[in-house]
């Protein structure tokens, strides 16, 4: 997110203009824009005109609209933010009070004015959004045979970028011993019979079983998908998680592919690849992956790790029931009044839901 203009008076009134550059910025916009705010952005509006003869025609025009925000809809998978409300400033194409939905887009400015003024929470959201440091903390692939979920872990959220599904033939029953002995990896060739010579022109895939071919295709598709979401110029940790040995085999495949194709950028990621065990290849297993000691150590300086540790500490104290953990508005308020938070005291955790409340008094 880029800060284009900021004009805030001492009383908190004023406006801020922002320029979203990547899908992650829409998450910040979602947390920044609240009901009753004024939002100004460009939009396409269908206009119907009537000629002197009574015939009508419609066409789309590009215009600048100012909405009094009523509701928001954020699609985290697509990185899209839809803001609905009524027109608050009239122009030649629309009248005041007309209902409209603005679709905030990347590389297009939008301006926000707060009806109740800019508070410290909103200003901190802006500060976090325009931080020039790269937002992505790590990339994770949670997988099992035939399925992989490619996720991006940022300071503020975990986003499923793409799911890969490739059919992998199952090994036939009754030949498990032979299968395990011959095919120890997805790229293991069949043993060459004695006195049998294969020509150099024979393709490697001709010697692979259907299972090995299926796994190779699955790994290649997953790697292609992963590379589309990796910035090879800015190394970030890549977590490979699966039950069994699927992630280990995929790790070997990545290194072998990088070596065979002389991909130096991908080889440079060797130290960033971390193989972790998970209970399944479904997306919900990412939660246990992120709680593993090796991952927490790797991401120890991130906001996610700090907040996770605080929540774990809170739940531990809550189970002990020794009076050191409290929740609920009234209980927390009494604890704060008695000095439980601050220097020498504990930590106050506040849910983002309170800052997005429709009740202005509750937000304050």
């Amino acid at each position: 997110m880029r800060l284009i203009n900021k004009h805030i008076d001492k009383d908190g009134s004023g406006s801020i203009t922002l320029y979203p550059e990547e899908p992650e910025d829409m998450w910040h916009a979602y947390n920044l824009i609240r009901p009753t705010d004024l939002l100004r952005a460009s939009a396409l509006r269908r206009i119907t005109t009537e000629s002197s003869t009574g015939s009508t025609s419609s066409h789309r025009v590009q215009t600048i609209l100012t909405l009094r925000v009523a509701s928001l809809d954020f699609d985290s998978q697509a990185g899209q933010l839809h803001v609905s409300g009524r027109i608050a400033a009239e122009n030649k194409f629309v009248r005041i009070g007309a209902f409209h939905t603005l679709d905030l887009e990347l590389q297009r400015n939008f301006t926000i004015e707060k009806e109740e003024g800019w508070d410290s929470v909103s200003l901190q959201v802006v500060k976090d959004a325009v931080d020039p440091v790269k937002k992505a903390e790590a990339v994770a692939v949670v997988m099992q045979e035939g399925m992989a979920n490619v996720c991006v872990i940022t300071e503020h959220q975990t986003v499923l970028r793409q799911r890969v599904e490739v059919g992998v033939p199952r090994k036939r029953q009754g030949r498990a011993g032979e299968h395990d002995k011959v095919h120890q990896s997805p790229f293991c060739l069949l043993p060459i019979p004695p006195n049998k010579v294969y020509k150099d022109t024979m393709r490697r895939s001709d010697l692979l079983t259907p299972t090995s071919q299926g796994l190779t295709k699955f790994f290649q598709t997953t790697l292609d998908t992963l590379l589309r979401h990796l910035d090879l110029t800015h190394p970030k940790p890549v977590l490979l998680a699966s039950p069994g040995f699927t992630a280990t085999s995929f790790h070997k495949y990545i290194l072998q592919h990088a070596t065979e194709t002389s991909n130096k950028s991908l080889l440079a990621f060797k130290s960033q690849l971390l193989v972790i065990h998970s209970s399944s290849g479904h997306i919900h297993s990412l939660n246990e992956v992120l709680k593993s000691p090796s991952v927490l150590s790797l991401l120890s300086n991130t906001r996610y790790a700090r907040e996770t540790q605080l929540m774990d500490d809170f739940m531990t104290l809550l189970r002990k029931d020794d009076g050191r953990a409290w929740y609920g508005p009234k209980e927390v308020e009494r604890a704060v009044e008695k000095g439980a938070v601050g220097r020498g005291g504990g930590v106050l955790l506040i849910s983002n839901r309170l800052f997005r409340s429709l009740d202005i008094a509750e937000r304050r």
Side-chain angles (χ1 to χ4, degrees):
M1 189 88 77
R2 191 188 308 169
L3 180 62
I4 302 300
N5 184 38
K6 179 180 179 181
H7 179 74
I8 306 295
D9 295 329
K10 293 182 178 180
D11 60 357
S13 62
S15 64
I16 291 179
T17 301
L18 299 168
Y19 179 84
E21 298 176 298
E22 55 187 44
E24 170 75 4
D25 294 336
M26 291 303 176
W27 167 254
H28 293 290
Y30 173 69
N31 285 292
L32 187 61
I33 302 171
R34 299 168 186 163
T36 72
D37 288 353
L38 284 177
L39 176 66
R40 184 164 57 255
S42 63
L44 282 174
R45 181 84 174 184
R46 181 177 292 278
I47 304 299
T48 302
T49 58
E50 183 177 352
S51 66
S52 57
T53 61
S55 62
T56 60
S57 61
S58 63
H59 61 283
R60 290 182 177 274
V61 296
Q62 187 84 27
T63 183
I64 302 296
L65 297 181
T66 302
L67 296 184
R68 178 71 66 181
V69 178
S71 63
L72 299 95
D73 178 33
F74 177 61
D75 185 348
S76 60
Q77 303 302 323
Q80 297 177 346
L81 178 60
H82 313 288
V83 184
S84 301
R86 297 192 177 275
I87 303 297
E90 189 174 16
N91 61 30
K92 65 178 182 179
F93 299 114
V94 294
R95 67 181 186 280
I96 292 179
F99 194 84
H100 187 82
T101 298
L102 277 175
D103 297 327
L104 296 188
E105 301 175 354
L106 299 179
Q107 282 80 49
R108 288 186 182 274
N109 293 353
F110 64 88
T111 302
I112 306 172
E113 293 184 33
K114 297 286 185 181
E115 183 181 40
E116 299 297 323
W118 290 83
D119 54 28
S120 59
V121 175
S122 298
L123 293 176
Q124 183 62 44
V125 172
V126 174
K127 182 179 179 181
D128 292 340
V130 300
D131 189 344
V133 178
K134 288 285 183 178
K135 303 299 189 301
E137 298 294 343
V139 177
V141 181
V142 185
M143 63 195 311
Q144 61 189 39
E145 281 194 10
M147 182 182 69
N149 298 285
V150 180
C151 308
V152 175
I153 304 168
T154 71
E155 277 277 324
H156 306 277
Q157 60 176 341
T158 299
V159 182
L160 173 63
R161 288 300 190 193
Q162 195 166 341
R163 175 171 294 164
V164 177
E165 291 183 319
V166 176
V168 178
R170 297 288 183 181
K171 59 185 179 182
R172 288 177 292 179
Q173 294 182 353
R175 301 184 63 185
E178 179 183 345
H179 181 280
D180 295 338
K181 180 176 64 177
V182 176
H183 310 294
Q184 297 176 355
S185 76
F187 356 97
C188 180
L189 300 181
L190 286 170
I192 300 177
N195 303 323
K196 182 73 172 180
V197 178
Y198 287 91
K199 295 182 180 179
D200 293 337
T201 56
M202 178 171 287
R203 293 179 305 172
R204 184 169 174 237
S205 60
D206 294 336
L207 300 177
L208 295 174
T209 65
T211 301
S212 299
Q213 291 179 8
L215 278 175
T216 301
K217 181 181 178 182
F218 167 59
F219 285 158
Q220 184 60 53
T221 304
T222 304
L223 179 57
D224 292 341
T225 304
L226 176 62
L227 291 177
R228 284 198 295 270
H229 300 289
L230 270 182
D231 184 358
L232 296 179
T233 61
H234 295 84
K236 296 288 182 182
V238 179
L239 314 179
L240 307 176
S242 78
F245 300 98
T246 305
T248 302
S249 298
F250 182 51
H251 178 264
K252 294 179 180 178
Y253 180 85
I254 293 174
L255 299 182
Q256 178 177 336
H257 176 82
T259 302
E260 292 178 350
T261 59
S262 300
N263 191 331
K264 295 182 179 180
S265 299
L266 186 56
L267 283 173
F269 261 83
K270 180 178 180 179
S271 60
Q272 301 291 332
L273 299 174
L274 179 63
V275 178
I276 307 161
H277 180 269
S278 64
S279 58
S280 78
H282 294 280
I283 187 64
H284 63 78
S285 295
L286 184 60
N287 191 36
E288 67 178 89
V289 170
L290 294 176
K291 289 183 178 180
S292 66
S294 57
V295 175
L296 288 177
S297 175
L298 188 66
L299 305 178
S300 59
N301 294 325
T302 66
R303 176 173 175 172
Y304 161 80
R306 293 192 296 270
E307 292 182 350
T308 299
Q309 186 60 51
L310 288 173
M311 283 302 301
D312 289 344
D313 294 343
F314 172 76
M315 297 304 296
T316 299
L317 293 176
L318 198 60
R319 285 193 296 269
K320 290 182 178 179
D321 194 20
D322 58 1
R324 290 188 293 166
W326 295 91
Y327 64 94
K330 294 182 180 179
E331 291 79 2
V332 171
E333 186 176 353
R334 284 199 297 267
V336 172
E337 290 175 352
K338 294 181 179 180
V341 175
R343 181 175 297 179
V347 178
L348 177 64
L349 302 177
I350 303 177
S351 170
N352 281 337
R353 184 188 63 81
L354 292 177
F355 300 120
R356 301 196 57 81
S357 173
L358 296 177
D359 186 350
I360 296 176
E362 184 180 17
R363 287 209 304 259
R364 287 178 172 176

